[in-house]
Amino acid sequence: TVVAGTGVGQFSVDWFVHANSRMVVAGVENLDEHAPKALAQLWSEYQTKYALPGDMTTTVYHFGISERSGTVVAYAYRSTADFMSERIAHGVGVKPECAVPDGNVYEHIPAMLEDQRARQASLPLQDRVFIGGEAHAIQLTKDSCTFSCIYQFVDFPLQMKAAFTAHAANAA
């Protein structure tokens, strides 16, 4: 099962750790049976611990090979819907908005990322989703899961150096 998320970034990471270290499940479908209640509880703890504003939202996604059918399944759990299980149909979803060309989407990912970045750069700072760094792909099949870097923005080394410098300054 692959776990991803939007919104409060650390939340999906902590959910992944919780599901892997505190739950006993047989697969993505079995996890789906327990996820809504467990996610709602974890979100409530997050809101209290981090004093999150009431308008702060998050969404967690599960992608996996069904232990029942052997096919790929996907679920979304949105804080705005109390983490109710939502089965997602096969397809392409992008966030934030960008053009999705016809054909093999995988081949167009670099152009799509650049489009996202350009669109976001035109927005006021407080409204932006900051796009950059590297793009990674996870390919999940019944027999394997592979992870690869498929794109790196041209300014990645400069941005990484700036991030390390800022982190070092904050840690001191």
Side-chain angles (χ1 to χ4, degrees):
T1 299
V2 175
V3 174
T6 61
V8 179
Q10 188 62 37
F11 183 77
S12 58
V13 172
D14 287 347
W15 168 248
F16 175 81
V17 170
H18 178 87
N20 278 278
S21 64
R22 295 189 174 142
M23 299 177 81
V24 178
V25 294
V28 67
E29 303 275 18
N30 187 217
L31 178 59
D32 176 63
E33 295 170 16
H34 302 284
K37 182 178 178 182
L39 280 163
Q41 181 177 344
L42 184 62
W43 183 242
S44 177
E45 293 167 8
Y46 241 71
Q47 290 174 306
T48 301
K49 182 177 180 180
Y50 298 108
L52 298 178
D55 63 347
M56 185 75 69
T57 64
T58 196
T59 301
V60 173
Y61 300 91
H62 293 170
F63 304 93
I65 307 298
S66 169
E67 66 273 19
R68 297 178 187 147
S69 67
T71 61
V72 174
V73 295
Y75 295 94
Y77 308 90
R78 303 174 198 283
S79 62
T80 56
D82 200 30
F83 297 99
M84 181 176 60
S85 174
E86 175 188 337
R87 185 85 177 251
I88 303 173
H90 181 75
V92 176
V94 295
K95 189 175 181 179
E97 182 181 334
C98 70
V100 179
D102 291 332
N104 183 340
V105 172
Y106 191 82
E107 293 173 357
H108 297 289
I109 288 174
M112 292 167 64
L113 292 169
E114 292 290 351
D115 182 31
Q116 283 179 318
R117 190 180 216 191
R119 290 176 190 225
Q120 292 299 308
S122 70
L123 299 174
L125 281 175
Q126 69 273 12
D127 297 334
R128 287 185 195 174
V129 174
F130 291 88
I131 308 293
E134 295 179 321
H136 299 105
I138 300 172
Q139 184 177 16
L140 183 64
T141 69
K142 191 172 183 177
D143 298 317
S144 68
C145 182
T146 57
F147 179 88
S148 59
C149 180
I150 59 171
Y151 184 68
Q152 188 179 86
F153 283 90
V154 68
D155 64 348
F156 176 72
L158 180 64
Q159 295 296 329
M160 189 61 116
K161 183 177 179 180
F164 285 147
T165 301
H167 178 73
N170 289 333

